[in-house]
Amino acid sequence: MSDISIRYQTGAPQHLETRFAARAAGMLPSEIRALFAVASRPEIVSLAGGMPNLSALPMEMMAGVVNELILTNGSEALQYGSGQGHPKLREQICDVMALEGIRANADDIVVTTGSQQALDLISRIFIDPGDVVLVEAPSYVGALGTFRQYEASVVHVEMDHDGMIPDSLRAAIKSVRAAGRKIKFLYLIPNYQNPTGVCLPADRRTEILNICREAEIFVVEDNPYGLLGFDKPSPNAMRAEDSENVIYLGSFSKTIASGLRVGWALVPQSLKDKLVIASESSILCPSNFTQLTISSYLADQPWRDQIASFCELYKVRRDAMLESLEQHFPAEATWTKPGGGFYVWVNLPAEIDTKALMPKAIVAKVAYVPGNAFYADGLGSWSMRLSYCHPTPERIREGVKALGGVIKQEMKRRGTALN
Amino acid sequence: MSDISIRYQTGAPQHLETRFAARAAGMLPSEIRALFAVASRPEIVSLAGGMPNLSALPMEMMAGVVNELILTNGSEALQYGSGQGHPKLREQICDVMALEGIRANADDIVVTTGSQQALDLISRIFIDPGDVVLVEAPSYVGALGTFRQYEASVVHVEMDHDGMIPDSLRAAIKSVRAAGRKIKFLYLIPNYQNPTGVCLPADRRTEILNICREAEIFVVEDNPYGLLGFDKPSPNAMRAEDSENVIYLGSFSKTIASGLRVGWALVPQSLKDKLVIASESSILCPSNFTQLTISSYLADQPWRDQIASFCELYKVRRDAMLESLEQHFPAEATWTKPGGGFYVWVNLPAEIDTKALMPKAIVAKVAYVPGNAFYADGLGSWSMRLSYCHPTPERIREGVKALGGVIKQEMKRRGTALN
């Protein structure tokens, strides 16, 4: 009633969208987002999402951890905490990162609401509109969205089955600078990259670090999957080799539980104060409750064994996916063979538009993410990301088989159309 | 070792701070922040912080809530969730807001990591560098910091003991526009404002809403303390009267527990999608775990009674503070008489610089926040914010007595100096 009267009182309602800031033009829905509503229907085999598989996490144990936490330390866990993050958890994060060769000081860590928030804050501190950010081709859709919101210009650097190609990085730097544009940083995911699943070998890490130092470009190393290597341990983190020129982003979303939203940034000392201030402005402080849940878990539970259980669970699924791709995908398709993480990247013949193919896949009860979601420049139209992290091996086989059928049919149809 | 070798290899280390974005210049530490390290020492009576008092929250009950949540719904609570926030919690938030006269649709709510994140996202969506944001004089320090990060120009509007003065708002709009500047929104805290504790009466709410609608300025109503009225219920929320032109920010930090970091924005429909996208870019999604903890608590526990317990606890402390101010502060001082919330605002004779006085107060084992922290324009130097939410009534009396002594001595010293 009152709403209506106000509307008539003042004539047409005022449109908030006419008052948006310039940067709001970059706030656009991602390709993945629109898909998820459909892909989450139970009858669809979703090879689209990147949700960790929590079936290996003992819920009785987690319930015990949080119960004990509140009973023994509830007045701290339920209170505001430090903007930088809880000191005890920051110490424990140093132990976690030591597994990948990083020697860090807890004072250089800022805990964030998932590592997505760290990415947002780094962007906020560094990106002026028009600045160039270099990323892998393809790259993480959530990072592309954040860079776009800060009005960065994203330039992709070519990859092969060993990740970013150092010579392509050199060429990209040269050509961007020849065009008179400013490069702010290189963003990459060296381990089991999202969306390709590939892992950057140690020698390329060193070479890329050298290129970036020489070119005075700093590196943002995003490493959510580093401890999820199935076949052999991952190479040392890039941050292990260079503590001055690398900002390292870590996360417990894939190794403990994503619903806690706890990630972190390990940064060069000169950046820490700015990062804390930016985070305080953004969220005041991260949740003591979720931080201390993780801290108690790390202190009292066999977390390394738990990560090994996750690896075993994902390895079985990875194997199921690779086997069924061999069986059911057309000979013209190629795909990556990830040694860890959640994803396989598939390239199809160039005439297949994976975005246009989606409705047919949904009819066949399978979902994936079209490749062009992972490019800022519209490429990727004949590629797709398949994730094996969440469904059972049986469902993965079923989904890959159905998808292979859809693709073959489309190739046939196209072949006919071309004849 | 490797750090050193790298440093020598490339000459001087590269300074990240030379590459900051323009907006990073606005990322400055707040007055309050530097204080908290000192004020949190146990021997100091802190009248500085705004930490809720959790002594009224039964920890056995909270432990039971989270234990049960993980056992019955752990696979959802520990998983990624919706960027907009959990649908069940959004429904329950509608019930909470109904207590202040708001009729809302759960689909127009976006759950955030504390309402600070909502403030950050609203700023991100609307503020272009140089845009004017109107705020109360004084206003919440965390809001001022966020507006500064988005390079807004903050203009304060005069208040009296009934909050923002409508005629002063009219005058401010006129003078800002006469100077050719663009006003983006009015930000205010109508209930038991931070830092003054004053409450805007119903008729002023209506008048301010009318002024803003006529001037085509939207209102950001920040309401963390609305349910914490001690003497009588708060007037209806401004959003209850205008659903088109008000963005409403709510929080569970003061009514349940701040360590969960759960707040929300209720926005006009035309804004919701943009806000969700901005939030996804910022944190991907809010924590399902903390959201469902609150959801379970609201569903199964007597939360209205719990809020009444909090009110009782804070009322006793408010009374202790007002009584001891009467007893121990000089006759020249004036202060607000809050009907709820956490804060009293004190004005001292203009020659007293409350920032310069802090070291003397610390020596006397009491801390407060100097008034100029709450102004973007350097005013407030003879004012201070005293919070009564956290210490015991005895400690509050002790702290106010000590502080009164420090102020009287300073006035005497000044008086002597002037003679």
Side-chain angles (χ1 to χ4, degrees):
Chain A
M1 285 286 279
S2 69
D3 301 357
I4 290 165
S5 67
I6 284 161
R7 191 175 291 206
Y8 280 93
Q9 210 177 344
T10 59
Q14 298 161 37
H15 294 292
L16 288 176
E17 54 273 41
T18 61
R19 300 178 226 168
F20 287 160
R23 76 175 72 79
M27 297 177 188
L28 302 168
S30 82
E31 299 285 333
I32 293 188
R33 208 158 96 90
L35 275 176
F36 276 176
V38 176
S40 63
R41 286 193 219 137
E43 72 274 18
I44 306 282
V45 178
S46 177
L47 308 175
M51 293 200 303
N53 196 312
L54 296 178
S55 65
L57 192 69
M59 290 300 167
E60 297 72 20
M61 176 273 291
M62 288 304 291
V65 166
V66 296
N67 185 63
E68 178 77 9
L69 169 63
I70 300 283
L71 289 178
T72 59
N73 195 19
S75 64
E76 185 179 21
L78 297 175
Q79 186 58 272
Y80 288 122
S82 149
Q84 186 177 355
H86 198 282
K88 187 177 168 199
L89 179 63
R90 288 190 279 110
E91 292 288 351
Q92 293 168 306
I93 287 171
C94 292
D95 298 338
V96 173
M97 293 191 295
L99 296 180
E100 296 185 81
I102 294 174
R103 292 182 314 166
N105 188 323
D107 193 49
D108 298 332
I109 292 169
V110 179
V111 180
T112 51
T113 302
S115 63
Q116 183 75 32
Q117 195 210 346
L119 204 51
D120 182 75
L121 298 176
I122 298 298
S123 300
R124 181 182 306 195
I125 291 171
F126 287 102
I127 298 175
D128 283 313
D131 282 350
V132 170
V133 175
L134 301 173
V135 306
E136 291 146 321
S139 184
Y140 167 52
V141 63
L144 299 181
T146 300
F147 300 151
R148 187 167 52 218
Q149 284 206 12
Y150 287 95
E151 299 169 86
S153 172
V154 167
V155 173
H156 289 281
V157 179
E158 207 186 339
M159 300 172 81
D160 59 20
H161 283 247
D162 282 329
M164 183 173 281
I165 302 166
D167 277 341
S168 301
L169 175 59
R170 284 191 189 91
I173 293 170
K174 204 172 157 186
S175 103
V176 168
R177 288 191 168 160
R181 297 161 77 196
K182 194 185 232 174
I183 300 171
K184 270 296 163 76
F185 55 83
L186 166 66
Y187 167 80
L188 81 177
I189 306 171
N191 291 314
Y192 322 119
Q193 198 238 12
N194 180 358
T196 64
V198 304
C199 185
L200 195 69
D203 57 343
R204 280 205 183 172
R205 295 181 190 220
T206 302
E207 193 174 353
I208 288 173
L209 285 170
N210 286 335
I211 294 169
C212 288
R213 271 197 308 273
E214 264 170 45
E216 303 206 337
I217 294 163
F218 70 89
V219 174
V220 177
E221 177 183 26
D222 192 2
N223 190 31
Y225 309 102
L227 297 178
L228 296 180
F230 312 148
D231 305 322
K232 54 182 183 187
S234 317
N236 270 354
M238 297 173 80
R239 168 59 175 73
E241 200 176 328
D242 185 343
S243 61
E244 290 282 340
N245 204 44
V246 176
I247 292 171
Y248 175 96
L249 311 186
S251 173
F252 290 112
S253 288
K254 278 81 183 183
T255 51
I256 303 179
S258 50
L260 299 171
R261 311 302 301 118
V262 179
W264 69 90
L266 168 65
V267 300
Q269 228 172 6
S270 59
L271 182 56
K272 195 258 293 182
D273 285 345
K274 229 30 158 194
L275 189 58
V276 172
I277 291 166
S279 186
E280 287 175 344
S281 163
S282 170
I283 60 160
L284 215 56
C285 61
S287 165
N288 258 0
F289 183 43
T290 60
Q291 288 183 88
L292 290 173
T293 295
I294 286 179
S295 176
S296 300
Y297 170 85
L298 291 172
D300 302 333
Q301 303 297 327
W303 59 273
R304 287 176 189 78
D305 297 346
Q306 182 60 45
I307 292 176
S309 302
F310 279 130
C311 285
E312 194 44 49
L313 179 147
Y314 293 128
K315 180 179 169 34
V316 172
R317 284 161 172 77
R318 188 256 338 239
D319 292 344
M321 178 165 280
L322 292 180
E323 280 164 27
S324 50
L325 281 167
E326 283 294 345
Q327 283 165 27
H328 301 296
F329 264 44
E332 293 85 348
T334 60
W335 53 86
T336 56
K337 315 280 188 301
F342 287 6
Y343 308 108
V344 169
W345 182 255
V346 181
N347 285 316
L348 299 174
E351 68 267 22
I352 304 290
D353 180 337
T354 54
K355 198 169 162 187
L357 197 66
M358 264 300 281
K360 292 177 185 170
I362 294 291
V363 169
K365 299 194 170 41
V366 58
Y368 58 86
V369 184
N372 68 0
F374 305 95
Y375 286 87
D377 54 12
L379 293 181
S381 68
W382 57 84
S383 304
M384 53 174 57
R385 188 191 77 176
L386 302 182
S387 60
Y388 50 79
C389 46
H390 206 259
T392 61
E394 295 66 38
R395 295 272 283 169
I396 289 171
R397 290 177 204 276
E398 198 182 303
V400 170
K401 184 177 176 184
L403 187 54
V406 170
I407 294 166
K408 284 175 181 168
Q409 201 165 25
E410 181 69 7
M411 285 172 66
K412 203 169 155 193
R413 197 183 68 80
R414 289 248 153 206
T416 310
L418 290 172
N419 286 343
Chain B
M1 286 281 282
S2 69
D3 301 357
I4 290 166
S5 67
I6 284 160
R7 189 175 294 206
Y8 280 93
Q9 211 177 341
T10 60
Q14 297 161 37
H15 294 293
L16 288 176
E17 53 271 43
T18 61
R19 300 178 228 168
F20 287 160
R23 75 176 72 79
M27 298 178 189
L28 301 168
S30 80
E31 299 284 335
I32 292 188
R33 207 159 95 91
L35 275 176
F36 275 176
V38 176
S40 63
R41 287 192 219 139
E43 73 272 19
I44 307 282
V45 178
S46 177
L47 308 175
M51 294 199 302
N53 196 312
L54 296 177
S55 64
L57 191 69
M59 290 299 166
E60 295 73 18
M61 176 274 290
M62 288 304 291
V65 166
V66 294
N67 184 63
E68 178 78 6
L69 169 64
I70 300 284
L71 289 179
T72 59
N73 195 19
S75 64
E76 184 180 21
L78 297 175
Q79 186 57 273
Y80 288 121
S82 149
Q84 187 178 355
H86 198 282
K88 186 177 170 199
L89 179 62
R90 288 190 279 111
E91 293 288 351
Q92 293 168 305
I93 287 172
C94 292
D95 298 338
V96 173
M97 292 191 296
L99 297 179
E100 296 184 80
I102 294 173
R103 292 182 314 165
N105 187 323
D107 193 50
D108 298 332
I109 292 168
V110 179
V111 180
T112 51
T113 302
S115 63
Q116 183 75 31
Q117 196 211 345
L119 204 50
D120 183 75
L121 298 176
I122 298 298
S123 300
R124 183 182 306 196
I125 292 172
F126 286 102
I127 298 176
D128 283 313
D131 282 350
V132 170
V133 176
L134 300 173
V135 305
E136 292 147 319
S139 184
Y140 167 51
V141 63
L144 299 181
T146 300
F147 300 151
R148 186 168 52 217
Q149 284 205 11
Y150 287 95
E151 302 170 81
S153 172
V154 167
V155 173
H156 289 281
V157 179
E158 207 185 342
M159 302 172 79
D160 60 20
H161 283 247
D162 283 329
M164 183 174 280
I165 303 166
D167 278 340
S168 300
L169 175 60
R170 284 191 189 89
I173 293 169
K174 204 172 158 184
S175 103
V176 168
R177 290 191 166 159
R181 297 162 76 196
K182 193 185 232 175
I183 300 171
K184 270 295 162 76
F185 55 85
L186 167 67
Y187 168 81
L188 82 176
I189 306 171
N191 291 315
Y192 321 119
Q193 196 237 12
N194 179 0
T196 63
V198 305
C199 185
L200 196 69
D203 57 343
R204 280 205 184 174
R205 295 182 189 220
T206 301
E207 191 172 354
I208 288 173
L209 285 170
N210 286 336
I211 293 169
C212 287
R213 271 197 308 273
E214 266 170 46
E216 302 206 337
I217 294 164
F218 70 90
V219 174
V220 177
E221 175 182 29
D222 191 3
N223 189 32
Y225 310 103
L227 297 178
L228 297 180
F230 313 148
D231 306 323
K232 54 182 181 186
S234 319
N236 270 355
M238 297 172 81
R239 167 58 177 75
E241 200 175 326
D242 185 344
S243 62
E244 291 281 339
N245 205 44
V246 176
I247 292 172
Y248 175 94
L249 311 186
S251 172
F252 290 113
S253 288
K254 277 81 181 182
T255 50
I256 304 179
S258 51
L260 299 172
R261 313 301 301 118
V262 179
W264 69 90
L266 167 66
V267 300
Q269 228 172 6
S270 59
L271 182 56
K272 194 259 292 180
D273 285 345
K274 234 20 162 196
L275 189 58
V276 172
I277 291 167
S279 187
E280 287 174 343
S281 163
S282 172
I283 60 160
L284 214 56
C285 61
S287 165
N288 258 0
F289 183 44
T290 60
Q291 288 182 88
L292 289 174
T293 295
I294 287 178
S295 176
S296 300
Y297 170 85
L298 291 172
D300 302 332
Q301 303 297 327
W303 60 272
R304 288 175 188 79
D305 297 346
Q306 182 61 45
I307 293 175
S309 301
F310 279 130
C311 285
E312 195 43 50
L313 179 148
Y314 293 127
K315 180 179 170 30
V316 172
R317 284 162 171 75
R318 188 253 342 237
D319 292 345
M321 178 166 279
L322 292 180
E323 281 164 28
S324 48
L325 281 167
E326 285 292 347
Q327 283 166 26
H328 301 295
F329 264 44
E332 294 85 347
T334 60
W335 52 86
T336 56
K337 315 280 188 299
F342 286 6
Y343 307 108
V344 170
W345 182 256
V346 180
N347 286 315
L348 300 174
E351 69 268 21
I352 304 291
D353 180 337
T354 54
K355 198 169 162 189
L357 198 67
M358 263 300 282
K360 291 176 185 170
I362 294 292
V363 169
K365 298 196 171 38
V366 58
Y368 58 85
V369 183
N372 68 1
F374 305 95
Y375 286 87
D377 55 10
L379 294 182
S381 67
W382 58 84
S383 304
M384 55 174 58
R385 188 191 78 177
L386 301 182
S387 61
Y388 50 79
C389 46
H390 207 259
T392 61
E394 295 65 39
R395 295 272 283 169
I396 290 171
R397 289 177 206 276
E398 199 183 302
V400 170
K401 183 177 177 185
L403 186 54
V406 170
I407 293 166
K408 284 175 181 169
Q409 200 165 25
E410 180 68 7
M411 286 172 67
K412 202 169 156 193
R413 198 183 68 80
R414 291 246 153 209
T416 311
L418 289 173
N419 286 343

